[in-house]
Amino acid sequence: YAGTAVTTGSGNVFVGYKAGCAATTGNCCLIIGNGTCDLITGDFNGGKVGIGTSSQTATLTLNGTYSSGANGPNIEFFGTATDAYPSMQILNFSHDDQSINFDNYYDGVWKSSDAGSNFQIRKGDDKLTLRYDSGIAAGSTLTWNTGFAMDTSGQIGIGTTAPVAAFHLNNGASITNLPASTKAVFSNTSAADAITRVGIYAGGASAYAVLDLGRNDANCRSSLTYNTSADSLTIGTAAATSAAIITTAGCFGIGTTTPGSTLEVAAGAI
């Protein structure tokens, strides 16, 4: 019978044939099992529940053999009579191999639950990654693409799993001969005619797009400023905010903001 081995204690609840048969004492315990396996255990005093374990270390503790199968400490979510595919899985295959999966699932291979999109947040290979796929019919095998990766140095890669700088946006290029002080890399493919373009865009007709270069501890900087209303580009420093300008007419001025010729230098001096 359930709980027959318990000789001391009170306030216990046993459910199932020979549930808790290995327990000899207990207070305010919950045990659901069949004598061979105590599937669910609980501590009424602490408000904790364990599945697959009698040692609850959190409000809910899951215990199982690390594996890529059903026996692992994994969680799966299905909608009510929606379809045959899980909407979400939280998988703990091993240390350095855990993932939260949205509209995809693992049953020996990764498969889609939704043809619209599949996303995964994963910790593996000592990296944190965000992976994706789309256009894969529910129940069909998908192929992960990595959109975001962070390594153990805190370097972030977009489009690459091996960032070479603090921020690395890559579209397939192989980066070599990179200066050690480089903090951000933007790269396109390695094709001979590939163009890598970075944009800083202002908000409207009277806005400015600015690129500043300078120190982080003093008012020492230079800047490239695009004036959208005048369609002009200004080069300046902290002391000379408009040291040089290129106007919408293609005139270049040094020391003047209103050059009237192709090249105009203030006071006529060079």
Side-chain angles (χ1 to χ4, degrees), residues 200 209-215 220-225 234 236-238:
I200 301 175
V210 182
L211 173 63
D212 284 331
L213 309 171
R215 288 174 56 179
C220 300
R221 68 177 181 275
S222 61
S223 60
L224 297 174
T225 303
T234 300
T237 65

Side-chain angles (χ1 to χ4, degrees), residues 195-211 224-228 231:
I195 297 174
T196 301
R197 190 168 183 166
V198 179
I200 301 175
Y201 294 96
S206 59
Y208 296 84
V210 182
L211 173 63
L224 297 174
T225 303
Y226 175 71
N227 183 330
T228 60
D231 188 30

Side-chain angles (χ1 to χ4, degrees), residues 175-179:
I175 306 299
T176 59
N177 197 32
L178 190 70

Side-chain angles (χ1 to χ4, degrees), residues 158-175:
I158 296 178
T160 177
T161 59
V164 297
F167 180 79
H168 183 186
L169 191 154
N170 191 30
N171 191 33
S174 177
I175 306 299

Side-chain angles (χ1 to χ4, degrees), residues 67-225:
S67 71
S68 57
N71 293 331
N74 307 317
I75 303 176
E76 188 170 70
F77 301 83
F78 280 89
T80 303
T82 302
D83 53 40
Y85 308 107
S87 59
M88 185 177 179
Q89 284 186 336
I90 301 176
L91 304 178
N92 291 277
F93 289 166
S94 67
H95 291 293
D96 198 37
D97 193 357
Q98 307 96 25
S99 62
I100 303 175
N101 301 276
F102 306 91
D103 271 329
N104 65 87
Y105 62 99
Y106 188 83
D107 69 350
V109 294
W110 290 106
K111 292 184 179 180
S112 170
S113 293
D114 173 49
S117 60
N118 322 110
F119 291 96
Q120 179 191 76
I121 301 172
R122 179 176 184 260
K123 195 265 184 180
D125 304 316
D126 292 317
K127 292 183 176 70
L128 178 67
T129 56
L130 175 61
R131 305 199 294 183
Y132 67 94
D133 203 358
S134 63
I136 309 300
S140 298
T141 302
L142 59 81
T143 300
W144 286 123
N145 306 284
T146 300
F148 168 96
M150 177 186 290
D151 64 19
T152 55
S153 297
Q155 297 188 143
I156 293 174
I158 296 178
T160 177
T161 59
V164 297
F167 180 79
H168 183 186
L169 191 154
N170 191 30
N171 191 33
S174 177
I175 306 299
T176 59
N177 197 32
L178 190 70
S181 58
T182 302
K183 297 302 179 184
V185 173
F186 300 84
S187 56
N188 204 339
T189 69
S190 295
D193 59 348
I195 297 174
T196 301
R197 190 168 183 166
V198 179
I200 301 175
Y201 294 96
S206 59
Y208 296 84
V210 182
L211 173 63
D212 284 331
L213 309 171
R215 288 174 56 179
N216 61 358
D217 60 350
N219 188 26
C220 300
R221 68 177 181 275
S222 61
S223 60
L224 297 174
T225 303

